């Protein structure tokens, strides 16, 4: 596994997707998802120039943070149990999976400073997926103003695991439209300029549809779990 090569390939593909859609490369933050790989491989990604790392479990995040530390910026991308918030809150810059008030309350209580959050939305409506139904998002975000330490940086979704490009595009586009609705509210606690969407299989389409944060695992750092 040549991670440096992967970083070059992915960077090139992002650049091209930006060109196709008239966007700037600097608008896109690449998060290398290291949940499938060892500490050593996550470290290799950092050595290859990756700044942002994403983990979906509190234990995985703690383990890698203890070894790699604050030279990487840490993103929590998985469903987070409220009782584990205290274990990760001091090490992360961003949570991508805010989906309930009880979690917001716990983040607010434990955070020593404002925490940047993406509200997770289940755009595709699949039962297996976490996140709020689209029609509950505005009410949910309005209520988050009760929790001073929460800043809503944007919305996040996971697209269905399919090849159908048009359906993927529709999913991403719906999230963008929803984000624009939130932006138009001009809520101080919810600037909501960000879109966390796009993974190894679909990040190019996500970028064409406006992604500001792509979460890429297997295509950047591979998998060691299978
Ligand atoms: C695992 C995971 C990813 C990355 O998946 P790949 O398909 O390996 O790129 C992105 N986002 C979330 C929320 C994940 O759990």
């Amino acid at each position: 596994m040549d991670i440096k090569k992967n970083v070059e390939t992915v960077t090139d593909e992002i650049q091209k997707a930006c060109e196709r859609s008239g966007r700037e490369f600097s608008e896109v933050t690449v998060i290398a998802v290291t949940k499938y790989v060892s500490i050593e491989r996550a470290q290799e990604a950092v050595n290859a120039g990756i700044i942002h790392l994403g983990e979906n479990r509190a234990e995985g995040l703690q383990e890698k943070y203890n070894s790699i530390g604050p030279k990487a910026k840490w993103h929590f991308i998985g469903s987070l149990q409220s009782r584990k918030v205290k274990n990760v809150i001091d090490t992360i810059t961003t949570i991508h999976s805010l989906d309930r008030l009880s979690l917001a309350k716990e983040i607010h209580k434990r955070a020593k400073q404002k925490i940047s959050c993406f509200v997770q939305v289940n755009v595709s409506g699949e039962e297996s997926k976490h996140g709020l139904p689209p029609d509950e998002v505005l009410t949910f975000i309005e209520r988050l103003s009760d929790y001073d330490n929460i800043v809503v940086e944007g919305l996040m979704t996971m697209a269905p695991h399919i090849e159908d490009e048009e359906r993927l595009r529709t999913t991403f586009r719906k999230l963008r439209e929803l984000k624009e609705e939130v932006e138009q509210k001009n809520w101080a606690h919810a600037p909501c300029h960000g879109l966390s969407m796009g993974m190894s299989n679909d990040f190019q389409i996500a970028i064409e549809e406006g992604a500001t944060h792509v979460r890429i695992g297997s295509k950047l750092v591979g998998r060691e779990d299978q």
Side-chain angles (χ1 to χ4, degrees):
M1 165 96 353
D2 185 344
I3 291 184
K4 232 175 145 168
K5 192 87 194 289
N6 292 351
V7 173
E8 280 168 23
T9 307
V10 167
T11 303
D12 188 54
E13 288 172 354
I14 291 175
Q15 221 133 24
K16 291 197 173 112
C18 284
E19 277 164 30
R20 285 195 295 277
S21 48
R23 303 186 58 208
E24 296 291 329
F25 179 74
S26 59
E27 295 170 26
V28 182
T29 299
V30 179
I31 300 164
V33 176
T34 52
K35 68 184 185 199
Y36 305 125
V37 303
S38 62
I39 295 172
E40 290 70 29
R41 214 179 261 187
Q43 179 65 58
E44 256 183 83
V46 174
N47 296 347
I50 292 285
I51 297 165
H52 300 267
L53 297 182
E55 279 284 330
N56 70 337
R57 288 175 54 247
E59 294 74 15
L61 184 105
Q62 284 174 288
E63 187 188 76
K64 289 199 175 70
Y65 182 85
N66 288 341
S67 172
I68 296 170
K71 64 175 175 285
K73 291 192 168 139
W74 297 87
H75 296 252
F76 199 89
I77 61 167
S79 79
L80 180 56
Q81 288 170 274
S82 295
R83 66 187 171 85
K84 293 189 179 167
V85 167
K86 60 179 180 304
N87 302 340
V88 299
I89 197 74
D90 292 336
T91 56
I92 54 178
T93 62
T94 309
I95 295 177
H96 291 250
S97 47
L98 179 56
D99 61 356
R100 57 193 194 278
L101 289 174
S102 56
L103 179 59
K105 190 174 177 185
E106 184 67 12
I107 293 168
H108 170 72
K109 178 174 151 195
R110 300 285 179 181
K112 299 187 182 79
Q113 60 202 25
K114 287 187 190 290
I115 300 283
S116 149
C117 298
F118 284 84
V119 170
Q120 185 166 355
V121 186
N122 185 355
V123 177
S124 61
E126 290 167 281
E127 265 182 40
S128 60
K129 292 237 177 343
H130 292 275
L132 290 158
D135 62 356
E136 292 177 17
V137 169
L138 279 170
T139 313
F140 176 75
I141 293 181
E142 191 170 19
R143 288 206 190 136
L144 292 175
S145 67
D146 292 345
Y147 308 102
D148 283 345
N149 284 334
I150 305 271
V151 179
V152 180
E153 179 176 348
L155 303 182
M156 178 275 213
T157 202
M158 288 177 82
H161 206 76
I162 51 167
E163 298 290 323
D164 182 347
E165 192 180 311
E166 270 319 303
R167 266 186 68 200
L168 290 169
R169 213 174 269 289
T170 305
T171 303
F172 296 138
R173 198 169 291 161
K174 280 187 184 155
L175 193 72
R176 187 182 68 211
E177 287 165 2
L178 197 51
K179 178 210 74 154
E180 286 164 1
E181 273 186 60
V182 182
E183 270 179 317
Q184 281 161 14
K185 297 283 182 188
N186 284 313
W187 285 321
H189 71 288
C192 204
H193 302 314
L195 282 170
S196 172
M197 57 189 197
M199 313 187 356
S200 291
N201 291 326
D202 54 23
F203 70 88
Q204 288 149 300
I205 302 169
I207 288 170
E208 288 172 17
E209 296 301 328
T212 61
H213 293 67
V214 287
R215 312 175 308 266
I216 306 177
S218 32
K219 197 152 184 191
L220 270 178
V221 294
R223 293 187 72 143
E224 294 176 304
D225 63 327
Q226 45 173 225

